[in-house]
Every structure is written in structure tokens, then in C-alpha cells.
Amino acid sequence: MIRLLKPRLFVQSIYDLDLAGLVGRGIRGLILDLDNTLVGWNQPHAPRELLDWFQRVQQQGIKTYIVSNNWEARVTAFSRLVGVAGIAKAAKPRRWAFRQAMAAMGTEHQTTAVIGDQIFTDILGGNRLNLFTILVHPMDSREFWTTRIVRRIERALVAESLSSGA
């Protein structure tokens, strides 16, 4: 079970990702969490830095898809803003939304990475499908109240993962 909670890679933020390195690993699609991964929790605007990042991802030939547990209005508005399709109310770590995103991108489990800030949603969901999982540090301390509770357990798991070389 603990294997399912370990990310394959841990980076501070999406901006620290080696995009060429991901392509070298065969990654052709990124499933992206929204809140506290791409922008702060419920932040309605995409900073220029994020739009530039999406452009660099596209230049590498990598497709992107947003998969979020947030509400439809939030995900739809943000997806339109950045020009990336998205799935709302994904019920992560359930697998259906990950599968739907891969089908839309035309990728398989070997060529897809999941990037998110939560172990029990993003990482667990991605690992259940044997995707390449990447954990990022949350961008903002503001978040949904239930997430704040789960973060205490996640911090202990991240510390363990880092000390064991994950």
C-alpha cells in the first residue's frame, strides 16, 4: 500500500520540472491538478509565468489535461483561461478521470505523468494506473478545510519518501 502513496519524482513546483527530461523518459501527456499545483487554491487568474510554462510544455510536444476535484464552474473557467481541457469533480483518486484524460490526449500509462500537490488524490490516483507521478509542494497554504487535515499525514509521508530516496 505504501508504494501507491510514493511519487516517482518530487519537485518544488511545476516550474522546476525538466521538460526535456520528461520527454526523454517517453512522457507525451501530463495530467495536471489545478489548485495548489498550477495556481493557488481557488485563484481565478493565470499568471504570465504559467501561460509561458504551458507554451514551453507544448513546444516539447507534450499534451496537457487538467483533472481536478474542484467544481465544474471553477475548472471550466480556468481551463478556458489557459486553453487546456479539464475534468471537474474527478473524485480522485478514482481512476475514471485519469483514463478519460489519457484517452483525450491519446496517451497510454507508459507515456503519461500526473502532477499534483496531494498524495491521497493525485499521487495515489496516478500510481493506481502505473502512471509516472510527480509531487509538487503546495503553492498556497489556503485550501479546503478537509485538505488541511490530510496534509498532516502527507507531511509525514513526504518526509519518509525523501529520506528513503523517492
Side-chain angles (χ1 to χ4, degrees):
M1 175 62 175
I2 204 75
R3 179 189 66 77
L4 290 174
L5 300 175
K6 282 189 160 188
R8 299 273 301 276
L9 181 64
F10 180 82
V11 293
Q12 189 67 24
S13 81
I14 58 168
Y15 305 112
D16 297 318
L17 283 170
D18 175 5
L19 297 175
L22 289 176
V23 170
R25 288 180 181 263
I27 300 299
R28 300 294 178 260
L30 297 178
I31 296 174
L32 304 162
D33 177 50
L34 173 53
D35 291 302
N36 275 335
T37 298
L38 297 178
V39 293
W41 183 66
N42 275 342
Q43 179 180 328
H45 306 291
R48 177 86 248 157
E49 182 181 26
L50 179 61
L51 298 175
D52 292 344
W53 182 82
F54 272 114
Q55 188 172 27
R56 287 192 303 277
V57 170
Q58 186 177 26
Q59 288 169 347
Q60 290 287 331
I62 302 173
K63 296 177 182 173
T64 54
Y65 213 96
I66 295 171
V67 175
S68 174
N69 285 348
N70 209 324
W71 299 104
E72 187 75 33
R74 161 78 171 137
V75 176
T76 299
F78 196 85
S79 291
R80 281 190 193 129
L81 185 66
V82 297
V84 174
I87 297 171
K89 298 188 333 185
K92 295 180 289 183
R94 296 188 65 194
R95 294 175 279 211
W96 71 268
F98 295 102
R99 287 181 176 135
Q100 188 174 334
M102 287 189 297
M105 292 188 294
T107 60
E108 301 292 329
H109 72 274
Q110 310 93 318
T111 60
T112 307
V114 176
I115 305 173
D117 68 300
Q118 293 186 54
I119 291 173
F120 292 108
T121 57
D122 308 305
I123 303 307
L124 177 58
N127 282 341
R128 290 179 72 208
L129 287 169
N130 200 28
L131 307 180
F132 188 82
T133 51
I134 303 168
L135 182 67
V136 296
H137 187 76
M139 296 183 82
D140 194 341
S141 61
R142 292 178 307 136
E143 49 198 356
F144 195 64
W145 69 271
T146 56
T147 305
R148 287 193 303 266
I149 294 168
V150 173
R151 288 284 185 210
R152 293 177 184 191
I153 299 166
E154 285 187 348
R155 279 192 288 273
L157 287 171
V158 169
E160 158 123 6
S161 290
L162 292 175
S163 68
S164 67

